[in-house]
């Protein structure tokens, strides 16, 4: 089943003479197990597009479907629940809660999704997967940037989402940590079948793409296979 589909989606800001179309009449389908990179200059619309895919914003025109179901009729609470259960987010600024430990930050994703049992065990199981065993009790200010991003990845994946959206995930990392984070996401994509959608200006990230979508002036100008043409991993079935 197609994970996400945009049908003729436009997102506009302002009205009349001041109206700006951040994305214009975009149609796109995302399949299970993709490792897709969105690139383009600042203002090209890639972040706006991923905000639509992640149900963080509503289209002005057109339709968004998640797992074949239209989202236009969903109210704010239903959209929040959809994000909490189906979509993981990784941000360039990590967005960890500073007063919580690394483990508590990962647990929080499950708690926000309404899970009440097995939270600690499920969160703890993520730490070996992101090579952070032994650091569960540290707060964000006791972790390096690369370690904080690994916690953010664990937080995004712990609820077993159908897709993970990463907005400039290497922007605040040095070259070595950036490469390690990319390698980790590729490995998780291969091992778990997790679908990754990544927005970036970083040529290092673009080089890891299996599918590369280039945007300009709010439209997709190129959608083609990326440089890495390894066989796509078998997609995990969503619960």
């Amino acid at each position: 089943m197609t994970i996400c589909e945009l049908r003729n989606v436009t997102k506009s800001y302002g009205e009349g003479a001041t109206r700006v179309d951040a994305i214009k009449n975009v149609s796109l389908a995302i399949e299970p197990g993709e490792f897709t990179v969105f690139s383009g200059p600042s203002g090209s619309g890639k972040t706006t597009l991923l905000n639509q895919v992640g149900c963080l914003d509503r289209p002005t025109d057109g339709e968004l479907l998640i797992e074949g179901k239209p989202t236009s009729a969903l109210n704010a609470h239903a959209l929040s629940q959809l994000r909490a259960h189906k979509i993981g987010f990784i941000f360039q600024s990590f967005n960890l809660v500073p007063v919580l430990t690394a483990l508590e930050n990962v647990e929080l994703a499950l708690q926000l999704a309404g899970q009440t049992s097995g939270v600690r065990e499920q969160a703890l199981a993520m730490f070996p997967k992101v090579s952070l065993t032994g650091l569960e009790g540290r707060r964000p200010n006791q972790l390096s940037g690369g370690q904080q991003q690994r916690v953010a990845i664990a937080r995004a994946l712990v609820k077993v989402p159908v897709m993970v959206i990463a907005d400039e995930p290497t922007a605040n990392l040095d070259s070595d940590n950036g490469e390690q984070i990319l390698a980790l996401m590729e490995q998780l994509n291969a091992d778990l079948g997790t679908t990754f959608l990544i927005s970036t200006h970083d040529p290092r990230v673009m080089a890891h793409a299996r599918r590369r979508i280039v945007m300009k002036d709010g439209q997709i100008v190129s959608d083609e296979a990326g440089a890495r043409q390894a066989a796509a991993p078998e997609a995990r079935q969503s619960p």
Side-chain angles (χ1 to χ4, degrees):
M1 176 188 294
T2 299
I3 287 179
C4 173
E5 185 178 359
L6 282 77
R7 296 179 179 174
N8 303 312
V9 167
T10 294
K11 179 60 184 180
S12 302
Y13 299 97
E15 297 181 358
T18 63
R19 171 171 165 151
V20 174
D21 292 335
I23 54 175
K24 309 170 188 176
N25 198 37
V26 171
S27 293
L28 175 70
I30 301 296
E31 303 298 333
E34 287 194 19
F35 196 90
T36 296
V37 171
F38 294 79
S39 63
S42 295
S44 62
K46 58 186 183 295
T47 297
T48 301
L49 178 60
L50 287 182
N51 284 344
Q52 300 296 312
V53 172
C55 299
L56 294 171
D57 204 356
R58 291 183 184 271
T60 304
D61 295 297
E63 182 67 271
L64 167 69
L65 296 88
I66 301 293
E67 295 186 317
K69 299 177 182 178
T71 61
S72 55
L74 299 180
N75 61 25
H77 176 72
L79 285 173
S80 176
Q81 288 299 300
L82 190 154
R83 290 192 300 270
H85 289 88
K86 298 286 187 179
I87 305 170
F89 296 93
I90 302 169
F91 305 95
Q92 61 176 300
S93 56
F94 318 136
N95 283 11
L96 301 179
V97 180
V99 298
L100 300 182
T101 65
L103 177 60
E104 289 166 342
N105 268 280
V106 177
E107 290 176 325
L108 183 61
L110 296 172
Q111 293 162 348
L112 291 175
Q115 185 169 326
T116 57
S117 63
V119 169
R120 174 136 300 188
E121 293 77 8
Q122 194 169 329
L124 279 170
M126 290 302 304
F127 281 77
K129 296 178 182 178
V130 296
S131 301
L132 286 178
T133 301
L135 300 182
E136 296 88 348
R138 294 193 184 182
R139 288 186 168 83
N141 65 359
Q142 298 172 312
L143 299 170
S144 69
Q147 289 168 338
Q148 289 184 63
Q149 194 62 295
R150 288 172 184 268
V151 175
I153 291 171
R155 180 184 59 189
L157 290 174
V158 70
K159 58 189 178 183
V160 196
V162 298
M163 62 181 167
V164 171
I165 295 173
D167 186 13
E168 299 280 0
T170 62
N172 287 333
L173 302 175
D174 60 32
S175 296
D176 287 344
N177 274 306
E179 284 294 341
Q180 290 174 23
I181 291 300
L182 287 168
L184 173 61
M185 290 194 295
E186 275 195 314
Q187 192 63 49
L188 293 167
N189 171 257
D191 291 348
L192 305 178
T194 304
T195 301
F196 280 90
L197 308 180
I198 305 169
S199 117
T200 191
H201 292 94
D202 190 341
R204 297 172 302 171
V205 181
M206 298 174 200
H208 285 255
R210 290 198 182 94
R211 178 184 181 186
R212 183 179 174 188
I213 295 174
V214 180
M215 298 193 67
K216 182 179 179 182
D217 297 330
Q219 296 181 307
I220 294 173
V221 296
S222 175
D223 182 353
E224 57 190 23
R228 298 207 174 189
Q229 282 305 291
E234 183 177 351
R236 170 192 51 75
Q237 296 297 315
S238 62

